[in-house]
Amino acid sequence: MRILSGIQPSGRLHVGNYFGMMEPAIRMQQQGEAFYFIADYHALTTVRDGGELRQYVRDVALDFLACGLDPQRAVFFRQSDVPEVTELAWILSTVTPMGLLERCHSYKDKTARGLAASHGLFAYPVLMAADILLYDSDAVPVGRDQKQHLEVTRDLAIKFNEHYGEGLLKLPEPVIQETTAVVPGLDGQKMSKSYDNTLPLFAEPGALKKLIMRRIATDSTPVEAPKPVEGSVILQLFRLFAGADDYQRMEDEFRAGGVGYGDFKKRLLAACVEFFEPMQRRRRELEADPGAVEDVLRAGAERARAEAARVLDRVRRAVGLGLA
Ligand code: ADP
Ligand code: TRP
């Protein structure tokens, strides 16, 4: 089984990215042949400073490796090191109905937030389809917000195959883990770097403390009264970091009353710090050897490119590019 996923280097990664996409992807590297990449072509739609983009790419590489991506098992690479993907994106764009892209939420959301309505932003799902189809991917672990892009990918593969020949492009399946499909942010909306409501991965404990103690909104239920369980951001986040017993104890205490939100938040902070501590340590080690990280990405690109060449060759022949 070929597993593939990508993540944009468009800012610091956060706890939503970790539980929604990275953790499932890391777990799945045991189950098949995994291809994971840093989607720097995609990030160009929002990051307009070369130095900044390069820094984000480095950070994502370090974060992903520190969290457990194992380059012995998974092929880990930079999207732009396999420029073949842009050729497949162009070919796919010629079978992409405008209406299909016009229906995509992410374009509408991003332009509504004030991002310039560029062609790149509009055509983003076609490049993502190319990412997936270029490697004959079977399974794509992502958070729920990417589900529509997987549907577009399947639609384009079906259209392409109907026109040029059955079986040319493989239809991928999304893998969305329902328990962590949408991790809430500090304000209770979906955690997202666009909403300024994130818990960053690898924040200093001091910074995490400020975010948790000051930014998670709570109601004015008195200490001794029972607290609402439904919709509690503290509980939802605690569940991600704590063992089942600790979680159950906190939920029971919410229902019983007698413990204040400040205490619950302190427990959440401690669980979060403890959870990420080994990864923090690993990240510091990796940071000390930037050459080794670059070597991993370079070796990954080589393997990815060989695979990409096979699929692209099949596609070029089918559509009539080059000699038969
Ligand atoms: P952001 O919303 O912060 O810009 P991205 O869109 O770059 O995050 O998401 C990268 C990956 O992380 C995607 O697979 C996405 O589905 C997942 N993801 C992002 N935020 C969350 C969240 N709050 N809960 C679950 N998964 C998420
Ligand atoms: N669009 C994804 C996101 O914003 C990143 C991405 C690009 C991706 N290409 C992909 C994810 C291919 C999975 C497969 O998070």
Side-chain angles (χ1 to χ4, degrees), residues 48-324:
R48 290 288 157 71
D49 178 296
E52 198 173 291
L53 181 60
R54 224 167 259 124
Q55 184 58 46
Y56 286 150
V57 170
R58 265 196 296 271
D59 282 337
V60 170
L62 284 168
D63 289 351
F64 226 131
L65 290 166
C67 287
L69 186 147
D70 176 359
Q72 303 298 327
R73 286 191 170 273
V75 176
F76 187 37
F77 61 103
R78 238 186 316 251
Q79 183 185 30
S80 63
D81 282 343
V82 190
E84 286 83 351
V85 74
T86 61
E87 184 175 351
L88 182 59
W90 174 255
I91 295 170
L92 290 173
S93 78
T94 63
V95 300
T96 305
M98 287 296 287
L100 190 64
L101 297 183
E102 279 161 359
R103 282 195 294 278
C104 286
H105 307 303
S106 90
Y107 177 75
K108 286 187 271 189
D109 293 350
K110 286 175 184 169
T111 50
R113 279 204 323 266
L115 285 180
S118 70
H119 175 258
L121 207 55
F122 185 67
Y124 182 110
V126 183
L127 180 58
M128 177 156 164
D131 287 325
I132 296 169
L133 300 172
L134 187 59
Y135 300 99
D136 280 337
S137 311
D138 298 293
V140 183
V142 282
R144 192 184 292 147
D145 57 353
Q146 297 298 315
K147 192 170 181 220
Q148 189 181 42
H149 290 152
L150 265 294
E151 285 159 8
V152 169
T153 303
R154 289 174 59 93
D155 278 359
L156 295 187
I158 290 169
K159 268 202 183 323
F160 186 89
N161 289 349
E162 270 171 6
H163 195 84
Y164 289 108
E166 278 317 308
L168 276 169
L169 294 175
K170 193 174 218 177
L171 295 195
E173 295 288 342
V175 179
I176 297 167
Q177 197 172 272
E178 282 311 316
T179 47
T180 53
V182 184
V183 174
L186 300 171
D187 58 359
Q189 289 191 81
K190 181 199 115 145
M191 189 179 289
S192 169
K193 58 185 162 304
S194 327
Y195 303 154
D196 185 27
N197 66 353
T198 67
L199 281 182
L201 286 181
F202 306 115
E204 290 303 316
L208 270 184
K209 181 172 176 191
K210 271 195 199 142
L211 289 171
I212 289 176
M213 302 308 287
R214 295 192 195 160
R215 293 276 312 280
I216 295 183
T218 49
D219 56 35
S220 52
T221 314
V223 173
E224 55 290 351
K227 318 265 174 315
V229 165
E230 206 55 43
S232 161
V233 171
I234 299 177
L235 278 175
Q236 288 174 77
L237 291 175
F238 191 66
R239 174 173 248 153
L240 300 171
F241 302 120
D245 291 350
D246 288 342
Y247 173 78
Q248 196 53 53
R249 192 168 324 120
M250 189 184 283
E251 194 187 301
D252 293 345
E253 286 172 8
F254 260 68
R255 291 184 200 283
V259 182
Y261 283 122
D263 282 348
F264 290 134
K265 284 182 172 184
K266 279 188 200 142
R267 261 188 260 168
L268 170 62
L269 173 65
C272 178
V273 169
E274 187 182 324
F275 187 92
F276 287 113
E277 209 275 324
M279 300 175 210
Q280 292 257 15
R281 215 173 324 120
R282 178 86 186 106
R283 196 181 192 283
R284 279 194 292 272
E285 288 165 18
L286 289 161
E287 237 177 335
D289 192 358
V293 175
E294 194 46 45
D295 288 348
V296 164
L297 293 179
R298 213 168 306 128
E302 218 169 282
R303 287 182 59 191
R305 254 190 127 161
E307 187 61 28
R310 271 218 299 280
V311 176
L312 192 59
D313 184 57
R314 200 160 80 211
V315 167
R316 289 180 59 110
R317 281 170 197 274
V319 300
L321 294 174
L323 295 174

